[in-house]
PDB file of all heavy atoms in Angstrom:
ATOM      1  N   SER A 981       0.860  -1.164  -0.011  1.00 44.00           N
ATOM      2  CA  SER A 981      -0.001   0.001  -0.002  1.00 44.00           C
ATOM      3  C   SER A 981       0.887   1.214   0.001  1.00 44.00           C
ATOM      4  O   SER A 981       2.110   1.109   0.017  1.00 44.00           O
ATOM      5  CB  SER A 981      -0.905  -0.004   1.261  1.00 44.00           C
ATOM      6  OG  SER A 981      -0.114   0.178   2.385  1.00 44.00           O
ATOM      7  N   GLN A 982       0.319   2.402  -0.011  1.00 37.00           N
ATOM      8  CA  GLN A 982       1.139   3.605  -0.015  1.00 37.00           C
ATOM      9  C   GLN A 982       1.982   3.738   1.225  1.00 37.00           C
ATOM     10  O   GLN A 982       3.022   4.370   1.232  1.00 37.00           O
ATOM     11  CB  GLN A 982       0.214   4.826  -0.181  1.00 37.00           C
ATOM     12  CG  GLN A 982      -0.434   4.883  -1.550  1.00 37.00           C
ATOM     13  CD  GLN A 982      -1.301   6.101  -1.692  1.00 37.00           C
ATOM     14  OE1 GLN A 982      -1.531   6.819  -0.714  1.00 37.00           O
ATOM     15  NE2 GLN A 982      -1.780   6.385  -2.929  1.00 37.00           N
ATOM     16  N   ALA A 983       1.519   3.080   2.324  1.00 36.00           N
ATOM     17  CA  ALA A 983       2.235   3.238   3.583  1.00 36.00           C
ATOM     18  C   ALA A 983       3.129   2.097   3.908  1.00 36.00           C
ATOM     19  O   ALA A 983       3.844   2.108   4.900  1.00 36.00           O
ATOM     20  CB  ALA A 983       1.200   3.417   4.710  1.00 36.00           C
ATOM     21  N   GLN A 984       3.127   1.029   3.065  1.00 58.00           N
ATOM     22  CA  GLN A 984       3.863  -0.162   3.453  1.00 58.00           C
ATOM     23  C   GLN A 984       4.529  -0.796   2.224  1.00 58.00           C
ATOM     24  O   GLN A 984       3.860  -1.160   1.266  1.00 58.00           O
ATOM     25  CB  GLN A 984       2.884  -1.183   4.064  1.00 58.00           C
ATOM     26  CG  GLN A 984       3.538  -2.486   4.483  1.00 58.00           C
ATOM     27  CD  GLN A 984       4.421  -2.292   5.722  1.00 58.00           C
ATOM     28  OE1 GLN A 984       3.929  -1.859   6.739  1.00 58.00           O
ATOM     29  NE2 GLN A 984       5.696  -2.596   5.575  1.00 58.00           N
ATOM     30  N   THR A 985       5.848  -0.923   2.254  1.00 63.00           N
ATOM     31  CA  THR A 985       6.588  -1.601   1.198  1.00 63.00           C
ATOM     32  C   THR A 985       7.380  -2.726   1.816  1.00 63.00           C
ATOM     33  O   THR A 985       8.370  -2.482   2.522  1.00 63.00           O
ATOM     34  CB  THR A 985       7.533  -0.652   0.476  1.00 63.00           C
ATOM     35  OG1 THR A 985       6.797   0.451  -0.069  1.00 63.00           O
ATOM     36  CG2 THR A 985       8.238  -1.364  -0.677  1.00 63.00           C
ATOM     37  N   PRO A 986       6.983  -3.959   1.631  1.00 74.00           N
ATOM     38  CA  PRO A 986       7.722  -5.070   2.252  1.00 74.00           C
ATOM     39  C   PRO A 986       9.048  -5.288   1.582  1.00 74.00           C
ATOM     40  O   PRO A 986       9.202  -5.160   0.366  1.00 74.00           O
ATOM     41  CB  PRO A 986       6.787  -6.276   2.020  1.00 74.00           C
ATOM     42  CG  PRO A 986       6.025  -5.918   0.818  1.00 74.00           C
ATOM     43  CD  PRO A 986       5.826  -4.450   0.851  1.00 74.00           C
ATOM     44  N   SER A 987      10.055  -5.586   2.383  1.00 88.00           N
ATOM     45  CA  SER A 987      11.330  -5.947   1.839  1.00 88.00           C
ATOM     46  C   SER A 987      11.984  -6.982   2.745  1.00 88.00           C
ATOM     47  O   SER A 987      11.646  -7.093   3.921  1.00 88.00           O
ATOM     48  CB  SER A 987      12.243  -4.714   1.724  1.00 88.00           C
ATOM     49  OG  SER A 987      12.495  -4.146   2.991  1.00 88.00           O
ATOM     50  N   PHE A 988      12.880  -7.745   2.195  1.00 93.00           N
ATOM     51  CA  PHE A 988      13.541  -8.818   2.926  1.00 93.00           C
ATOM     52  C   PHE A 988      15.024  -8.818   2.607  1.00 93.00           C
ATOM     53  O   PHE A 988      15.429  -8.473   1.505  1.00 93.00           O
ATOM     54  CB  PHE A 988      12.956 -10.192   2.519  1.00 93.00           C
ATOM     55  CG  PHE A 988      11.524 -10.405   2.950  1.00 93.00           C
ATOM     56  CD1 PHE A 988      10.496  -9.943   2.180  1.00 93.00           C
ATOM     57  CD2 PHE A 988      11.259 -11.080   4.118  1.00 93.00           C
ATOM     58  CE1 PHE A 988       9.178 -10.116   2.561  1.00 93.00           C
ATOM     59  CE2 PHE A 988       9.945 -11.286   4.510  1.00 93.00           C
ATOM     60  CZ  PHE A 988       8.884 -10.819   3.743  1.00 93.00           C
ATOM     61  N   LYS A 989      15.814  -9.193   3.602  1.00 93.00           N
ATOM     62  CA  LYS A 989      17.232  -9.496   3.398  1.00 93.00           C
ATOM     63  C   LYS A 989      17.394 -10.987   3.292  1.00 93.00           C
ATOM     64  O   LYS A 989      16.954 -11.746   4.156  1.00 93.00           O
ATOM     65  CB  LYS A 989      18.100  -9.000   4.555  1.00 93.00           C
ATOM     66  CG  LYS A 989      18.338  -7.502   4.609  1.00 93.00           C
ATOM     67  CD  LYS A 989      19.254  -7.185   5.796  1.00 93.00           C
ATOM     68  CE  LYS A 989      19.593  -5.706   5.852  1.00 93.00           C
ATOM     69  NZ  LYS A 989      20.458  -5.422   7.009  1.00 93.00           N
ATOM     70  N   GLU A 990      18.071 -11.411   2.267  1.00 97.00           N
ATOM     71  CA  GLU A 990      18.252 -12.836   2.019  1.00 97.00           C
ATOM     72  C   GLU A 990      19.615 -13.278   2.589  1.00 97.00           C
ATOM     73  O   GLU A 990      20.646 -12.682   2.284  1.00 97.00           O
ATOM     74  CB  GLU A 990      18.228 -13.086   0.507  1.00 97.00           C
ATOM     75  CG  GLU A 990      18.529 -14.508   0.117  1.00 97.00           C
ATOM     76  CD  GLU A 990      18.679 -14.609  -1.421  1.00 97.00           C
ATOM     77  OE1 GLU A 990      17.688 -14.294  -2.136  1.00 97.00           O
ATOM     78  OE2 GLU A 990      19.749 -15.021  -1.889  1.00 97.00           O
ATOM     79  N   GLN A 991      19.599 -14.325   3.395  1.00 98.00           N
ATOM     80  CA  GLN A 991      20.815 -14.866   3.939  1.00 98.00           C
ATOM     81  C   GLN A 991      20.818 -16.388   3.826  1.00 98.00           C
ATOM     82  O   GLN A 991      19.948 -17.063   4.378  1.00 98.00           O
ATOM     83  CB  GLN A 991      20.992 -14.512   5.431  1.00 98.00           C
ATOM     84  CG  GLN A 991      22.316 -15.029   6.039  1.00 98.00           C
ATOM     85  CD  GLN A 991      22.453 -14.714   7.516  1.00 98.00           C
ATOM     86  OE1 GLN A 991      21.554 -14.139   8.119  1.00 98.00           O
ATOM     87  NE2 GLN A 991      23.591 -15.095   8.076  1.00 98.00           N
ATOM     88  N   GLN A 992      21.777 -16.904   3.101  1.00 98.00           N
ATOM     89  CA  GLN A 992      21.941 -18.316   2.960  1.00 98.00           C
ATOM     90  C   GLN A 992      22.767 -18.822   4.158  1.00 98.00           C
ATOM     91  O   GLN A 992      23.865 -18.410   4.348  1.00 98.00           O
ATOM     92  CB  GLN A 992      22.589 -18.717   1.659  1.00 98.00           C
ATOM     93  CG  GLN A 992      22.773 -20.220   1.499  1.00 98.00           C
ATOM     94  CD  GLN A 992      23.068 -20.612   0.088  1.00 98.00           C
ATOM     95  OE1 GLN A 992      22.233 -20.572  -0.792  1.00 98.00           O
ATOM     96  NE2 GLN A 992      24.310 -21.002  -0.156  1.00 98.00           N
ATOM     97  N   ILE A 993      22.172 -19.750   4.950  1.00 98.00           N
ATOM     98  CA  ILE A 993      22.927 -20.221   6.143  1.00 98.00           C
ATOM     99  C   ILE A 993      23.467 -21.626   5.901  1.00 98.00           C
ATOM    100  O   ILE A 993      24.285 -22.106   6.715  1.00 98.00           O
ATOM    101  CB  ILE A 993      22.057 -20.207   7.394  1.00 98.00           C
ATOM    102  CG1 ILE A 993      20.822 -21.140   7.277  1.00 98.00           C
ATOM    103  CG2 ILE A 993      21.608 -18.806   7.721  1.00 98.00           C
ATOM    104  CD1 ILE A 993      20.101 -21.366   8.567  1.00 98.00           C
ATOM    105  N   ASP A 994      23.092 -22.265   4.814  1.00 98.00           N
ATOM    106  CA  ASP A 994      23.627 -23.591   4.494  1.00 98.00           C
ATOM    107  C   ASP A 994      23.492 -23.774   2.976  1.00 98.00           C
ATOM    108  O   ASP A 994      22.401 -23.653   2.439  1.00 98.00           O
ATOM    109  CB  ASP A 994      22.881 -24.703   5.228  1.00 98.00           C
ATOM    110  CG  ASP A 994      23.629 -26.036   5.216  1.00 98.00           C
ATOM    111  OD1 ASP A 994      24.572 -26.186   4.364  1.00 98.00           O
ATOM    112  OD2 ASP A 994      23.257 -26.929   6.010  1.00 98.00           O
ATOM    113  N   GLY A 995      24.609 -24.080   2.307  1.00 98.00           N
ATOM    114  CA  GLY A 995      24.587 -24.345   0.899  1.00 98.00           C
ATOM    115  C   GLY A 995      24.950 -25.748   0.557  1.00 98.00           C
ATOM    116  O   GLY A 995      25.272 -26.050  -0.571  1.00 98.00           O
ATOM    117  N   GLU A 996      24.947 -26.658   1.551  1.00 97.00           N
ATOM    118  CA  GLU A 996      25.347 -28.031   1.357  1.00 97.00           C
ATOM    119  C   GLU A 996      24.269 -29.018   1.856  1.00 97.00           C
ATOM    120  O   GLU A 996      24.558 -30.029   2.482  1.00 97.00           O
ATOM    121  CB  GLU A 996      26.666 -28.301   2.066  1.00 97.00           C
ATOM    122  CG  GLU A 996      27.835 -27.458   1.546  1.00 97.00           C
ATOM    123  CD  GLU A 996      29.142 -27.727   2.244  1.00 97.00           C
ATOM    124  OE1 GLU A 996      29.099 -28.146   3.441  1.00 97.00           O
ATOM    125  OE2 GLU A 996      30.212 -27.467   1.673  1.00 97.00           O
ATOM    126  N   VAL A 997      23.044 -28.710   1.516  1.00 98.00           N
ATOM    127  CA  VAL A 997      21.897 -29.556   1.899  1.00 98.00           C
ATOM    128  C   VAL A 997      21.747 -30.690   0.928  1.00 98.00           C
ATOM    129  O   VAL A 997      21.963 -30.526  -0.307  1.00 98.00           O
ATOM    130  CB  VAL A 997      20.621 -28.713   1.964  1.00 98.00           C
ATOM    131  CG1 VAL A 997      19.386 -29.566   2.125  1.00 98.00           C
ATOM    132  CG2 VAL A 997      20.736 -27.693   3.080  1.00 98.00           C
ATOM    133  N   GLY A 998      21.424 -31.890   1.424  1.00 97.00           N
ATOM    134  CA  GLY A 998      21.138 -33.020   0.513  1.00 97.00           C
ATOM    135  C   GLY A 998      19.797 -32.849  -0.143  1.00 97.00           C
ATOM    136  O   GLY A 998      19.703 -32.439  -1.289  1.00 97.00           O
ATOM    137  N   ILE A 999      18.740 -33.114   0.578  1.00 97.00           N
ATOM    138  CA  ILE A 999      17.379 -32.772   0.167  1.00 97.00           C
ATOM    139  C   ILE A 999      16.688 -32.199   1.404  1.00 97.00           C
ATOM    140  O   ILE A 999      16.503 -32.874   2.389  1.00 97.00           O
ATOM    141  CB  ILE A 999      16.565 -34.013  -0.275  1.00 97.00           C
ATOM    142  CG1 ILE A 999      17.232 -34.648  -1.509  1.00 97.00           C
ATOM    143  CG2 ILE A 999      15.137 -33.688  -0.597  1.00 97.00           C
ATOM    144  CD1 ILE A 999      16.617 -35.979  -1.961  1.00 97.00           C
ATOM    145  N   GLY A1000      16.340 -30.923   1.354  1.00 97.00           N
ATOM    146  CA  GLY A1000      15.786 -30.277   2.530  1.00 97.00           C
ATOM    147  C   GLY A1000      14.336 -30.629   2.747  1.00 97.00           C
ATOM    148  O   GLY A1000      13.426 -29.803   2.554  1.00 97.00           O
ATOM    149  N   TYR A1001      14.080 -31.877   3.130  1.00 98.00           N
ATOM    150  CA  TYR A1001      12.731 -32.377   3.182  1.00 98.00           C
ATOM    151  C   TYR A1001      11.776 -31.571   4.091  1.00 98.00           C
ATOM    152  O   TYR A1001      10.660 -31.254   3.708  1.00 98.00           O
ATOM    153  CB  TYR A1001      12.731 -33.865   3.655  1.00 98.00           C
ATOM    154  CG  TYR A1001      13.093 -34.846   2.629  1.00 98.00           C
ATOM    155  CD1 TYR A1001      14.281 -35.528   2.647  1.00 98.00           C
ATOM    156  CD2 TYR A1001      12.186 -35.193   1.639  1.00 98.00           C
ATOM    157  CE1 TYR A1001      14.627 -36.501   1.718  1.00 98.00           C
ATOM    158  CE2 TYR A1001      12.511 -36.175   0.682  1.00 98.00           C
ATOM    159  CZ  TYR A1001      13.705 -36.820   0.752  1.00 98.00           C
ATOM    160  OH  TYR A1001      14.037 -37.778  -0.179  1.00 98.00           O
ATOM    161  N   GLY A1002      12.199 -31.297   5.304  1.00 98.00           N
ATOM    162  CA  GLY A1002      11.279 -30.681   6.250  1.00 98.00           C
ATOM    163  C   GLY A1002      11.943 -29.713   7.204  1.00 98.00           C
ATOM    164  O   GLY A1002      13.031 -29.997   7.732  1.00 98.00           O
ATOM    165  N   LEU A1003      11.287 -28.594   7.442  1.00 98.00           N
ATOM    166  CA  LEU A1003      11.770 -27.586   8.392  1.00 98.00           C
ATOM    167  C   LEU A1003      10.882 -27.496   9.618  1.00 98.00           C
ATOM    168  O   LEU A1003       9.718 -27.812   9.569  1.00 98.00           O
ATOM    169  CB  LEU A1003      11.751 -26.201   7.699  1.00 98.00           C
ATOM    170  CG  LEU A1003      12.832 -25.877   6.694  1.00 98.00           C
ATOM    171  CD1 LEU A1003      12.454 -24.622   5.922  1.00 98.00           C
ATOM    172  CD2 LEU A1003      14.196 -25.711   7.347  1.00 98.00           C
ATOM    173  N   ALA A1004      11.479 -27.020  10.725  1.00 98.00           N
ATOM    174  CA  ALA A1004      10.711 -26.682  11.909  1.00 98.00           C
ATOM    175  C   ALA A1004      11.457 -25.523  12.608  1.00 98.00           C
ATOM    176  O   ALA A1004      12.635 -25.284  12.347  1.00 98.00           O
ATOM    177  CB  ALA A1004      10.597 -27.865  12.868  1.00 98.00           C
ATOM    178  N   VAL A1005      10.764 -24.774  13.430  1.00 98.00           N
ATOM    179  CA  VAL A1005      11.359 -23.708  14.212  1.00 98.00           C
ATOM    180  C   VAL A1005      10.950 -23.876  15.660  1.00 98.00           C
ATOM    181  O   VAL A1005       9.783 -24.096  15.948  1.00 98.00           O
ATOM    182  CB  VAL A1005      10.937 -22.322  13.659  1.00 98.00           C
ATOM    183  CG1 VAL A1005      11.694 -21.983  12.392  1.00 98.00           C
ATOM    184  CG2 VAL A1005       9.433 -22.218  13.396  1.00 98.00           C
ATOM    185  N   ALA A1006      11.920 -23.778  16.557  1.00 98.00           N
ATOM    186  CA  ALA A1006      11.669 -23.950  17.955  1.00 98.00           C
ATOM    187  C   ALA A1006      12.939 -23.570  18.734  1.00 98.00           C
ATOM    188  O   ALA A1006      14.013 -23.480  18.125  1.00 98.00           O
ATOM    189  CB  ALA A1006      11.293 -25.369  18.320  1.00 98.00           C
ATOM    190  N   ASP A1007      12.806 -23.331  20.040  1.00 98.00           N
ATOM    191  CA  ASP A1007      13.995 -23.102  20.873  1.00 98.00           C
ATOM    192  C   ASP A1007      14.536 -24.476  21.288  1.00 98.00           C
ATOM    193  O   ASP A1007      13.914 -25.202  22.089  1.00 98.00           O
ATOM    194  CB  ASP A1007      13.568 -22.278  22.100  1.00 98.00           C
ATOM    195  CG  ASP A1007      14.743 -21.874  22.975  1.00 98.00           C
ATOM    196  OD1 ASP A1007      15.873 -22.398  22.751  1.00 98.00           O
ATOM    197  OD2 ASP A1007      14.546 -21.105  23.910  1.00 98.00           O
TER     198      ASP A1007
END
């Protein structure tokens, strides 16, 4: 909208994945 422009910074944290089947996020 006029008041909001989304933007993201891209960071690759691993470039040696076999097949990244499934992700989860937790402490």
Side-chain angles (χ1 to χ4, degrees):
S981 67
Q982 292 182 351
Q984 180 71 58
T985 303
S987 63
F988 292 84
K989 284 183 178 179
E990 175 188 301
Q991 181 182 3
Q992 180 165 288
I993 63 170
D994 194 346
E996 297 179 336
V997 170
I999 298 175
Y1001 280 109
L1003 285 168
V1005 284
D1007 185 351

